[in-house]
Amino acid sequence: MYDIVVGVDTDVDRALAQAEAIAELPGREEVRAILLHVVRGSADGAIEDVESVTEARTELAAANVEVTTETAEGDPAMCILDAAERHDANCICVAGRDRSPTGKAIFGSVTQDVVVGAKRPTLVCSASKQ
């Protein structure tokens, strides 16, 4: 089994871009996608209530990709990296967003932090329309 930790935020377009990229992988029948939704505060709601997670799960299931879901609390990049280690994942999948260099410097970038901190291959998807 090829395990991919997929960091999913609340943006449906980014989550679908990630799901579509994974669904297009060769051998996807041997892929397990671990959808990880990270909250900065307390995780009061169920992960099933997060539309982006539900949409990604549906897309992946339709492509015959095995899917599990998890919720974590804390810094998103650290939680994604921790989940990848805990699952001994083969890959991490994150989605970037369009930000200016100034915006990245002021607000940070989860995608950038994951790419820099990852000890395994990282797939970066974009929901931007070309």
Side-chain angles (χ1 to χ4, degrees):
M1 189 63 59
Y2 190 85
D3 292 329
I4 304 174
V5 170
V6 186
V8 180
D9 64 10
T10 57
D11 187 278
V12 173
D13 289 336
R14 285 195 298 268
L16 286 173
Q18 290 170 279
E20 290 167 6
I22 293 167
E24 292 173 2
L25 291 173
R28 66 181 171 265
E29 296 82 12
E30 297 298 319
V31 170
R32 177 180 16 239
I34 303 155
L35 302 180
L36 175 67
H37 179 69
V38 180
V39 293
R40 289 194 186 263
S42 125
D44 292 333
I47 193 167
E48 293 80 18
D49 295 335
V50 179
E51 183 182 8
S52 56
V53 173
T54 302
E55 293 290 327
R57 180 184 199 119
T58 300
E59 179 81 19
L60 289 165
N64 294 319
V65 174
E66 183 180 330
V67 182
T68 62
T69 57
E70 292 183 11
T71 303
E73 296 177 21
D75 175 72
M78 291 307 301
C79 289
I80 293 167
L81 293 171
D82 289 345
E85 288 295 318
R86 188 173 66 255
H87 289 284
D88 193 25
N90 300 93
C91 182
I92 299 170
C93 181
V94 291
R97 67 173 82 179
D98 292 331
R99 276 202 183 155
S100 68
T102 304
K104 288 179 188 173
I106 293 171
F107 300 109
S109 168
V110 171
T111 300
Q112 181 177 342
D113 291 346
V114 169
V115 169
V116 170
K119 296 178 182 170
R120 58 197 75 237
T122 304
L123 173 61
V124 179
C125 303
S126 174
S128 299
K129 306 295 182 221
Q130 304 296 331

